[in-house]
Amino acid sequence: MKPLIEITTVPIQIEMKTTSAKLEYARGTAEMEVSRDKGGLQIKSRPIRVNIDTFEARNSITPTVMRSVEQNAQKGIQASYKATATFAQQGELMMKTKLGEEVITKFSRDSLLEGVQDVGLDFIPKVGPEITWDPGEMNIRYEMDKLNFDWKINGGSFEFIPGDIELTVTQRPEVIIKYIGGPIYVPPSADPNYEPVDVRA
């Protein structure tokens, strides 16, 4: 007797897709700013300077009040020294005088000769002007232009992308049951190919 049922199983089908992990690096950006400081040329000149001091020369011609008082005081001191010396000399001569000598005549002659010698001639100005000078000076300063570079750098960054596994079921499991026998007649005698069963033993 042939089997009446055919059973067929369909296995499951799975499709798997994998994505590998990766590390991505994003480059940093860089900016540069350039600025200029302007230089220049500077020239500083100072000519020679002559200083003429005529104070002493003018005082020798027409002295100031203060200088005149000082000069007269100095002359008075010198005159007192000279008179003292003259009196001392005359006193010494008088002490050594002998009878018959004309001491008074000698004193008169010395006085006259001294007056003749002082004629009052003098050269003016007695002192020349004092001349000094400051030397000339020239300073040259040159400064070149300056360039300033300002860098602004942003650091790069790393990004980690993890791996991925994707599962897709393309065929579900199935069990197929198929009847492969002929038709079933009820009662069995209705089957055109029915053959009675011999129950005689």
Short mmCIF file of all heavy atoms in Angstrom, two decimals, residues 69-107:
data_model
loop_
_atom_site.label_atom_id
_atom_site.label_comp_id
_atom_site.label_asym_id
_atom_site.label_seq_id
_atom_site.Cartn_x
_atom_site.Cartn_y
_atom_site.Cartn_z
N VAL A 69 82.94 147.05 44.58
CA VAL A 69 83.18 147.06 46.03
C VAL A 69 84.28 146.08 46.38
O VAL A 69 85.17 146.38 47.20
CB VAL A 69 81.87 146.75 46.78
CG1 VAL A 69 82.14 146.53 48.26
CG2 VAL A 69 80.85 147.86 46.58
N GLU A 70 84.26 144.92 45.76
CA GLU A 70 85.28 143.92 46.05
C GLU A 70 86.66 144.39 45.61
O GLU A 70 87.66 144.21 46.33
CB GLU A 70 84.92 142.61 45.31
CG GLU A 70 85.87 141.45 45.59
CD GLU A 70 85.47 140.21 44.84
OE1 GLU A 70 84.36 140.20 44.23
OE2 GLU A 70 86.24 139.24 44.84
N GLN A 71 86.75 145.00 44.42
CA GLN A 71 88.04 145.51 43.94
C GLN A 71 88.56 146.64 44.83
O GLN A 71 89.77 146.70 45.15
CB GLN A 71 87.90 145.99 42.49
CG GLN A 71 87.70 144.85 41.49
CD GLN A 71 87.48 145.36 40.08
OE1 GLN A 71 87.38 146.59 39.86
NE2 GLN A 71 87.42 144.44 39.13
N ASN A 72 87.68 147.57 45.20
CA ASN A 72 88.11 148.67 46.07
C ASN A 72 88.56 148.17 47.43
O ASN A 72 89.53 148.70 48.03
CB ASN A 72 86.99 149.69 46.24
CG ASN A 72 86.71 150.45 44.93
OD1 ASN A 72 87.62 150.63 44.11
ND2 ASN A 72 85.48 150.90 44.75
N ALA A 73 87.88 147.14 47.94
CA ALA A 73 88.31 146.57 49.22
C ALA A 73 89.68 145.94 49.10
O ALA A 73 90.54 146.07 49.98
CB ALA A 73 87.28 145.55 49.69
N GLN A 74 89.91 145.26 47.96
CA GLN A 74 91.21 144.64 47.74
C GLN A 74 92.31 145.71 47.62
O GLN A 74 93.42 145.56 48.15
CB GLN A 74 91.16 143.77 46.46
CG GLN A 74 92.41 142.94 46.24
CD GLN A 74 92.54 141.84 47.29
OE1 GLN A 74 91.57 141.39 47.87
NE2 GLN A 74 93.78 141.43 47.54
N LYS A 75 91.99 146.79 46.90
CA LYS A 75 92.96 147.89 46.77
C LYS A 75 93.24 148.53 48.13
O LYS A 75 94.38 148.91 48.43
CB LYS A 75 92.43 148.94 45.81
CG LYS A 75 92.43 148.50 44.35
CD LYS A 75 91.88 149.61 43.46
CE LYS A 75 91.88 149.18 41.99
NZ LYS A 75 91.33 150.23 41.11
N GLY A 76 92.20 148.67 48.98
CA GLY A 76 92.41 149.23 50.31
C GLY A 76 93.32 148.36 51.14
O GLY A 76 94.20 148.86 51.87
N ILE A 77 93.16 147.05 51.05
CA ILE A 77 94.01 146.14 51.80
C ILE A 77 95.45 146.25 51.32
O ILE A 77 96.41 146.32 52.12
CB ILE A 77 93.50 144.70 51.67
CG1 ILE A 77 92.13 144.55 52.35
CG2 ILE A 77 94.49 143.70 52.26
CD1 ILE A 77 91.48 143.19 52.14
N GLN A 78 95.62 146.28 49.96
CA GLN A 78 96.97 146.41 49.43
C GLN A 78 97.61 147.75 49.82
O GLN A 78 98.81 147.81 50.13
CB GLN A 78 96.94 146.28 47.90
CG GLN A 78 96.58 144.87 47.42
CD GLN A 78 96.49 144.79 45.91
OE1 GLN A 78 96.68 145.80 45.22
NE2 GLN A 78 96.24 143.59 45.42
N ALA A 79 96.78 148.82 49.80
CA ALA A 79 97.31 150.14 50.19
C ALA A 79 97.73 150.16 51.65
O ALA A 79 98.76 150.74 52.03
CB ALA A 79 96.27 151.23 49.92
N SER A 80 96.97 149.50 52.50
CA SER A 80 97.32 149.46 53.93
C SER A 80 98.60 148.67 54.15
O SER A 80 99.47 149.06 54.94
CB SER A 80 96.17 148.87 54.75
OG SER A 80 95.95 147.53 54.35
N TYR A 81 98.76 147.55 53.40
CA TYR A 81 100.00 146.78 53.51
C TYR A 81 101.20 147.61 53.05
O TYR A 81 102.28 147.62 53.68
CB TYR A 81 99.91 145.50 52.68
CG TYR A 81 99.00 144.44 53.24
CD1 TYR A 81 98.52 143.41 52.44
CD2 TYR A 81 98.67 144.45 54.59
CE1 TYR A 81 97.69 142.44 52.95
CE2 TYR A 81 97.84 143.47 55.12
CZ TYR A 81 97.34 142.46 54.30
OH TYR A 81 96.54 141.50 54.80
N LYS A 82 100.98 148.34 51.92
CA LYS A 82 102.07 149.15 51.39
C LYS A 82 102.43 150.29 52.33
O LYS A 82 103.63 150.60 52.55
CB LYS A 82 101.64 149.69 50.03
CG LYS A 82 102.75 150.39 49.28
CD LYS A 82 102.27 150.78 47.89
CE LYS A 82 103.40 151.44 47.09
NZ LYS A 82 102.95 151.84 45.75
N ALA A 83 101.43 150.95 52.91
CA ALA A 83 101.70 152.06 53.85
C ALA A 83 102.41 151.56 55.09
O ALA A 83 103.34 152.19 55.61
CB ALA A 83 100.39 152.74 54.22
N THR A 84 102.01 150.39 55.56
CA THR A 84 102.66 149.81 56.74
C THR A 84 104.13 149.54 56.45
O THR A 84 105.02 149.80 57.27
CB THR A 84 101.93 148.52 57.16
OG1 THR A 84 100.57 148.80 57.41
CG2 THR A 84 102.57 147.92 58.40
N ALA A 85 104.37 148.99 55.25
CA ALA A 85 105.76 148.70 54.90
C ALA A 85 106.58 149.98 54.76
O ALA A 85 107.75 150.05 55.18
CB ALA A 85 105.80 147.89 53.58
N THR A 86 105.92 151.00 54.15
CA THR A 86 106.63 152.29 53.98
C THR A 86 106.96 152.91 55.34
O THR A 86 108.09 153.37 55.59
CB THR A 86 105.78 153.25 53.14
OG1 THR A 86 105.53 152.65 51.88
CG2 THR A 86 106.52 154.56 52.93
N PHE A 87 106.00 152.94 56.25
CA PHE A 87 106.23 153.51 57.59
C PHE A 87 107.31 152.72 58.34
O PHE A 87 108.14 153.28 59.04
CB PHE A 87 104.94 153.54 58.39
CG PHE A 87 103.96 154.56 57.88
CD1 PHE A 87 102.60 154.37 58.03
CD2 PHE A 87 104.39 155.73 57.26
CE1 PHE A 87 101.68 155.29 57.57
CE2 PHE A 87 103.49 156.68 56.81
CZ PHE A 87 102.12 156.45 56.96
N ALA A 88 107.29 151.43 58.19
CA ALA A 88 108.30 150.61 58.87
C ALA A 88 109.69 150.91 58.31
O ALA A 88 110.68 151.02 59.05
CB ALA A 88 107.96 149.13 58.69
N GLN A 89 109.74 151.06 56.97
CA GLN A 89 111.03 151.36 56.36
C GLN A 89 111.54 152.73 56.78
O GLN A 89 112.72 152.91 57.10
CB GLN A 89 110.88 151.27 54.84
CG GLN A 89 112.20 151.44 54.08
CD GLN A 89 112.00 151.33 52.58
OE1 GLN A 89 110.88 151.26 52.12
NE2 GLN A 89 113.12 151.32 51.85
N GLN A 90 110.63 153.71 56.78
CA GLN A 90 111.04 155.06 57.19
C GLN A 90 111.45 155.09 58.67
O GLN A 90 112.41 155.77 59.06
CB GLN A 90 109.92 156.06 56.94
CG GLN A 90 109.66 156.31 55.46
CD GLN A 90 108.49 157.23 55.21
OE1 GLN A 90 107.81 157.67 56.17
NE2 GLN A 90 108.22 157.54 53.95
N GLY A 91 110.74 154.37 59.49
CA GLY A 91 111.09 154.33 60.91
C GLY A 91 112.46 153.71 61.12
O GLY A 91 113.26 154.15 61.97
N GLU A 92 112.77 152.66 60.32
CA GLU A 92 114.08 152.02 60.45
C GLU A 92 115.19 152.98 60.01
O GLU A 92 116.26 153.05 60.64
CB GLU A 92 114.10 150.76 59.59
CG GLU A 92 115.40 149.95 59.75
CD GLU A 92 115.39 148.72 58.89
OE1 GLU A 92 114.36 148.47 58.18
OE2 GLU A 92 116.38 147.96 58.92
N LEU A 93 114.91 153.73 58.92
CA LEU A 93 115.91 154.69 58.46
C LEU A 93 116.14 155.80 59.49
O LEU A 93 117.28 156.27 59.72
CB LEU A 93 115.49 155.30 57.12
CG LEU A 93 115.57 154.36 55.91
CD1 LEU A 93 115.01 155.04 54.67
CD2 LEU A 93 117.03 153.95 55.67
N MET A 94 115.08 156.24 60.11
CA MET A 94 115.21 157.32 61.12
C MET A 94 115.98 156.84 62.34
O MET A 94 116.70 157.62 62.98
CB MET A 94 113.82 157.84 61.52
CG MET A 94 113.13 158.61 60.39
SD MET A 94 111.53 159.25 60.86
CE MET A 94 112.03 160.54 62.01
N MET A 95 115.87 155.59 62.67
CA MET A 95 116.59 155.07 63.81
C MET A 95 118.09 154.96 63.51
O MET A 95 118.93 155.05 64.41
CB MET A 95 116.04 153.70 64.21
CG MET A 95 114.64 153.77 64.82
SD MET A 95 114.00 152.14 65.22
CE MET A 95 115.17 151.67 66.45
N LYS A 96 118.40 154.74 62.25
CA LYS A 96 119.80 154.60 61.88
C LYS A 96 120.42 155.92 61.38
O LYS A 96 121.54 155.93 60.87
CB LYS A 96 119.93 153.54 60.78
CG LYS A 96 119.56 152.15 61.22
CD LYS A 96 119.71 151.18 60.07
CE LYS A 96 119.33 149.77 60.51
NZ LYS A 96 119.46 148.81 59.40
N THR A 97 119.68 157.01 61.48
CA THR A 97 120.16 158.29 60.95
C THR A 97 121.30 158.84 61.82
O THR A 97 121.28 158.77 63.04
CB THR A 97 119.01 159.30 60.93
OG1 THR A 97 117.98 158.79 60.12
CG2 THR A 97 119.48 160.63 60.36
N LYS A 98 122.27 159.40 61.13
CA LYS A 98 123.39 160.04 61.80
C LYS A 98 123.25 161.55 61.68
O LYS A 98 122.50 162.04 60.84
CB LYS A 98 124.69 159.58 61.17
CG LYS A 98 124.96 158.11 61.31
CD LYS A 98 126.24 157.71 60.63
CE LYS A 98 126.48 156.21 60.76
NZ LYS A 98 127.73 155.80 60.07
N LEU A 99 123.94 162.23 62.47
CA LEU A 99 123.86 163.69 62.47
C LEU A 99 124.39 164.23 61.15
O LEU A 99 125.41 163.76 60.63
CB LEU A 99 124.67 164.29 63.64
CG LEU A 99 124.12 163.99 65.04
CD1 LEU A 99 125.10 164.52 66.09
CD2 LEU A 99 122.77 164.62 65.21
N GLY A 100 123.68 165.12 60.57
CA GLY A 100 124.10 165.74 59.32
C GLY A 100 123.43 165.15 58.09
O GLY A 100 123.52 165.71 57.01
N GLU A 101 122.78 163.98 58.23
CA GLU A 101 122.09 163.39 57.08
C GLU A 101 120.73 164.04 56.92
O GLU A 101 120.04 164.34 57.89
CB GLU A 101 121.92 161.89 57.26
CG GLU A 101 123.22 161.14 57.20
CD GLU A 101 123.01 159.64 57.28
OE1 GLU A 101 121.84 159.22 57.39
OE2 GLU A 101 123.98 158.88 57.23
N GLU A 102 120.36 164.23 55.67
CA GLU A 102 119.06 164.84 55.37
C GLU A 102 118.04 163.72 55.09
O GLU A 102 117.86 163.28 53.95
CB GLU A 102 119.19 165.77 54.16
CG GLU A 102 120.12 166.94 54.40
CD GLU A 102 120.23 167.84 53.21
OE1 GLU A 102 119.58 167.50 52.17
OE2 GLU A 102 120.91 168.86 53.28
N VAL A 103 117.43 163.22 56.12
CA VAL A 103 116.47 162.10 56.00
C VAL A 103 115.17 162.58 55.42
O VAL A 103 114.54 161.90 54.60
CB VAL A 103 116.24 161.46 57.39
CG1 VAL A 103 115.26 160.32 57.28
CG2 VAL A 103 117.56 160.97 57.96
N ILE A 104 114.75 163.80 55.76
CA ILE A 104 113.48 164.30 55.27
C ILE A 104 113.53 164.48 53.77
O ILE A 104 112.58 164.17 53.04
CB ILE A 104 113.11 165.63 55.96
CG1 ILE A 104 113.07 165.43 57.49
CG2 ILE A 104 111.80 166.17 55.46
CD1 ILE A 104 112.05 164.46 57.95
N THR A 105 114.65 164.97 53.27
CA THR A 105 114.79 165.15 51.82
C THR A 105 114.71 163.82 51.09
O THR A 105 114.11 163.70 50.03
CB THR A 105 116.13 165.84 51.52
OG1 THR A 105 116.22 167.04 52.28
CG2 THR A 105 116.28 166.16 50.05
N LYS A 106 115.35 162.83 51.68
CA LYS A 106 115.31 161.49 51.08
C LYS A 106 113.88 160.95 51.04
O LYS A 106 113.45 160.34 50.06
CB LYS A 106 116.23 160.55 51.87
CG LYS A 106 116.38 159.20 51.21
CD LYS A 106 117.37 158.34 51.97
CE LYS A 106 117.53 156.99 51.30
NZ LYS A 106 118.48 156.11 52.02
N PHE A 107 113.11 161.12 52.11
CA PHE A 107 111.72 160.66 52.14
C PHE A 107 110.90 161.35 51.07
O PHE A 107 110.08 160.73 50.38
CB PHE A 107 111.10 160.91 53.51
CG PHE A 107 111.64 160.01 54.59
CD1 PHE A 107 111.48 160.32 55.93
CD2 PHE A 107 112.31 158.83 54.26
CE1 PHE A 107 111.97 159.50 56.92
CE2 PHE A 107 112.80 158.02 55.25
CZ PHE A 107 112.63 158.34 56.60
#
